[in-house]
Amino acid sequence: MNIIEKIESIKTHEITASENLEQYSQEIDRKNPDLNVFLETDVEGASKTAQNIDFRIKNGEKVGK
């Protein structure tokens, strides 16, 4: 799934932003030991942002890309 499709799936409630974050976080945890490309991740901050996006979408508010 490309990024545009991912954005649309979040906006159409097929997946939540929080679920998307969890998938990416798990993928980073799985692959980074071999790749060593992430110095730091802010999962807590990203989780707050994802929850805010989910709340806004649930309430019919527009969210950016």
Side-chain angles (χ1 to χ4, degrees):
M1 178 179 299
N2 68 37
I3 190 69
I4 301 300
E5 293 168 335
K6 183 69 78 162
I7 291 166
E8 287 305 312
S9 69
I10 291 171
K11 288 183 177 181
T12 59
H13 308 277
E14 294 174 43
I15 184 173
T16 66
S18 297
E19 291 168 337
N20 184 55
L21 171 62
E22 181 61 29
Q23 290 174 356
Y24 276 107
S25 179
Q26 288 175 358
E27 195 70 6
I28 290 169
D29 289 344
R30 188 174 70 79
K31 289 185 176 180
N32 201 49
D34 293 330
L35 300 174
N36 197 30
V37 294
F38 288 98
L39 298 176
E40 182 178 333
T41 56
D42 181 12
V43 176
E44 185 177 324
S47 179
K48 289 177 184 177
T49 300
Q51 289 171 4
N52 184 330
I53 291 168
D54 291 337
F55 178 80
R56 291 175 58 202
I57 289 172
K58 183 178 178 182
N59 289 306
E61 296 179 39
K62 292 194 175 210
V63 294
K65 292 183 180 184

